[in-house]
Amino acid sequence: MQTRTIDGNAIARELRAGILTRAATLTAGGVQPGLAVIRVGSHPASSVYVRNKIAACGEAGIHSRDIHLSETADEAALLDQIRALNDDASIHGILVQLPLPRGFSPERVLEAVSPLKDVDGFHPMNAGLLAVGHPRFVPCTPLGIMKLLEHEGVNPEGRHAVVVGRSNIVGKPIALLLLQKGATVTICNSRTPDLRSITRQAEILVVAAGKPKLITGAMLSPGAIVIDVGINRLADGKLAGDVDFSSVLGTAARVTPVPGGVGPMTIAMLLENTVASAERALASGRTRT
Ligand code: NAD
């Protein structure tokens, strides 16, 4: 079987063009979408991620605020900052870059973000809305995966989808989204015995385990659609997914590469959530303080 590589960069580029148009319409109507990104301390990977997010906002016509609290800032200072942004009508999305330094409670911090500006979709209220089938903000990576599938013309209805990983940011929400689209979903985790016997049943396989080369061609059924969420830094400095890319060629029908698959979609969905938030604010009159 000829395996097709899904080009996440190209799909994200296409979606970002549409987001730019929507942002321009909002701006012309007096409401430029705005995203605030807050980070605390100097986690090296975080500064790269934040830089990329801020640059992507600029390209999409979204104004952004890069708020950097020092290593010595405490949780109270961060919560004050979040509350000020909750009340700021020019900001439609608030993102707290994780991980937070030791001593901070990520739960308390994420719950302090207004659920109406929670563009990461991590607030328990937004997680609950997704679980009951009325999503407002959906976490960016699972949302990006659904857009990839849609773009590829893959309808999950009636198909067996297997999700490897059960985190709150990827595994659980993607399982719920696939379920809502009518897939039969199996969720695996690190305690799942005989993973291969389950992945071999997958017509759609989403892997978000953080384990390089966890999935090989021998673990797939022929014709599976494989979405590799993993981002792992190998000893030689190269990036690798959770799927052994070369070994699935010839067995999978389609596969996302790492890099260039799910990653670019995640950033595009952050822009999508910010613009959608500004559109909702405009529609509900929440545009002035
Ligand atoms: P996590 O560590 O929170 O969760 C990993 C999950 O995988 C856990 O539920 C664990 O039980 C499961 N798991 C681990 N080993 C397993 C095994 N051998 N068999 C079955 N299940 C196993 O990680 P996360 O935050 O969900 O991220 C997962 C991966 O996706 C990481 O590599 C992360 O860097 C990457 N990621 C990528 C993007 C993106 O934009 N592409 C976004 C978020 C996360």
Side-chain angles (χ1 to χ4, degrees), residues 37-43 47 66-71 81:
V37 183
I38 315 175
R39 82 195 128 124
V40 186
S42 52
H43 189 268
S47 49
D66 179 4
I67 298 162
H68 189 183
L69 303 185
S70 80
E71 199 76 61
Q81 183 65 69

Side-chain angles (χ1 to χ4, degrees), residues 141 164-171 188-192 195 207-211 214 228-232 242 262-263 266:
T141 301
V164 181
R166 58 163 166 198
S167 71
N168 288 334
I169 63 170
V170 189
C188 304
N189 63 77
S190 56
R191 310 281 170 87
T192 300
L195 183 64
V207 193
K211 298 277 180 295
L214 176 66
D228 187 357
V229 184
I231 303 179
N232 306 290
D242 291 348
V262 174
T266 298

Side-chain angles (χ1 to χ4, degrees), residues 192-206:
T192 300
D194 194 7
L195 183 64
R196 172 185 156 139
S197 69
I198 299 172
T199 56
R200 280 178 71 100
Q201 298 172 37
E203 296 173 272
I204 300 171
L205 178 64
V206 179

Side-chain angles (χ1 to χ4, degrees), residues 149 154-163 175 178-179 181-188 195-206 221 223-226:
L149 293 175
V154 176
N155 183 0
E157 190 178 316
R159 296 182 131 171
H160 189 177
V162 173
V163 177
L178 288 163
L179 190 61
K181 288 284 181 195
T184 301
V185 182
T186 304
I187 309 173
C188 304
L195 183 64
R196 172 185 156 139
S197 69
I198 299 172
T199 56
R200 280 178 71 100
Q201 298 172 37
E203 296 173 272
I204 300 171
L205 178 64
V206 179
S221 75
I225 289 155
V226 180

Side-chain angles (χ1 to χ4, degrees), residues 103-144:
F104 285 66
S105 155
E107 289 78 21
R108 249 192 325 261
V109 168
L110 296 177
E111 282 180 38
V113 174
S114 162
L116 298 175
K117 299 189 177 186
D118 170 38
V119 283
D120 257 340
F122 295 164
H123 192 288
M125 188 180 282
N126 287 317
L129 284 171
L130 174 61
V132 296
H134 301 291
R136 178 169 48 204
F137 288 112
V138 174
C140 300
T141 301
L143 185 59

Side-chain angles (χ1 to χ4, degrees), residues 51-76:
R51 206 175 326 126
N52 291 343
K53 288 170 186 172
I54 298 286
C57 281
E59 287 167 24
I62 295 170
H63 78 86
S64 58
R65 223 177 283 168
D66 179 4
I67 298 162
H68 189 183
L69 303 185
S70 80
E71 199 76 61
T72 56
D74 60 8
E75 191 176 302

Side-chain angles (χ1 to χ4, degrees), residues 273-285:
N273 278 349
T274 305
V275 167
S277 180
E279 288 168 343
R280 282 196 288 268
L282 183 62
S284 65

